[in-house]
Amino acid sequence: MNKKQNILLTAVVLAFIALSTSVIVSIVLAQQNSQTNSKSYLTANTIVSQVIKKMNYQNLSKISDENISKYYNIPDGTVTDSAMYISNRTDSGMELACFRLSSEDNTPVLSDAISEHISSKNSENKEGSGQLAKFKTDTVYPYVFVAVATDSEAAANAFKEIITQK
């Protein structure tokens, strides 16, 4: 082999190594980005279901997506996903809900809808009012979680753990 062939072979090998390295780095970065953004793939129902499981709640019924509007007056376009569960017991007043905001700018609109719902629920249900006084909302954008329970603070903490683990 002459000197020109050695230089050419060295250049080809170095180019191959550089290309291989850039492909590997791209794959690793894409995987890290996918893991970082995975919380945006959680559904509101998945979040509430996991809170229910983590808190060992029982006797809760899921409200259909169409019927959530009977409880919460949320303007169109405010949220992209929602889930709500309420107690099967009429004396309980327990409720869990999760909403995924379509934009961070919609946080005040959703907060108003939540406050309105809790106020109306509180005035309608005098028996469960002690529990309603123990409601908690928490936001980890894009999710807003609502817990009306005797241990609403613990439920909100479970919500945060679920979101931050993803």
Side-chain angles (χ1 to χ4, degrees), residues 23 28 48 72 128 137 144:
V23 168
V28 169
V48 178
Y72 289 90
T137 61
V144 177

Side-chain angles (χ1 to χ4, degrees), residues 17 19 32-34 45 52 54 60 79 97 106 140 143:
I17 291 172
L19 181 62
Q32 287 176 343
N33 191 31
S34 172
N45 191 60
I52 290 169
K54 194 172 195 103
L60 293 173
V79 299
N106 290 330
V140 178
Y143 302 103

Side-chain angles (χ1 to χ4, degrees), residues 41-126:
Y41 296 115
L42 286 175
T43 66
N45 191 60
T46 299
I47 293 168
V48 178
S49 296
Q50 288 182 14
V51 170
I52 290 169
K53 184 177 179 184
K54 194 172 195 103
M55 298 296 296
N56 295 315
Y57 290 144
Q58 297 177 357
N59 300 317
L60 293 173
S61 295
K62 183 177 184 338
I63 301 301
S64 68
D65 293 344
E66 308 83 53
N67 288 329
I68 292 174
S69 63
K70 293 180 181 177
Y71 297 87
Y72 289 90
N73 185 18
I74 302 169
D76 288 343
T78 303
V79 299
T80 59
D81 187 23
S82 57
M84 180 179 178
Y85 286 74
I86 61 173
S87 176
N88 296 335
R89 296 178 31 210
T90 55
D91 64 338
S92 170
M94 184 175 181
E95 175 183 312
L96 299 174
C98 183
F99 305 95
R100 184 171 28 190
L101 291 163
S102 59
S103 164
E104 203 162 359
D105 296 339
N106 290 330
T107 303
V109 174
L110 182 59
S111 294
D112 289 347
I114 291 168
S115 295
E116 181 182 312
H117 168 66
I118 296 297
S119 294
S120 69
K121 187 172 175 161
N122 206 1
S123 63
E124 290 171 8
N125 186 3
K126 298 298 181 198

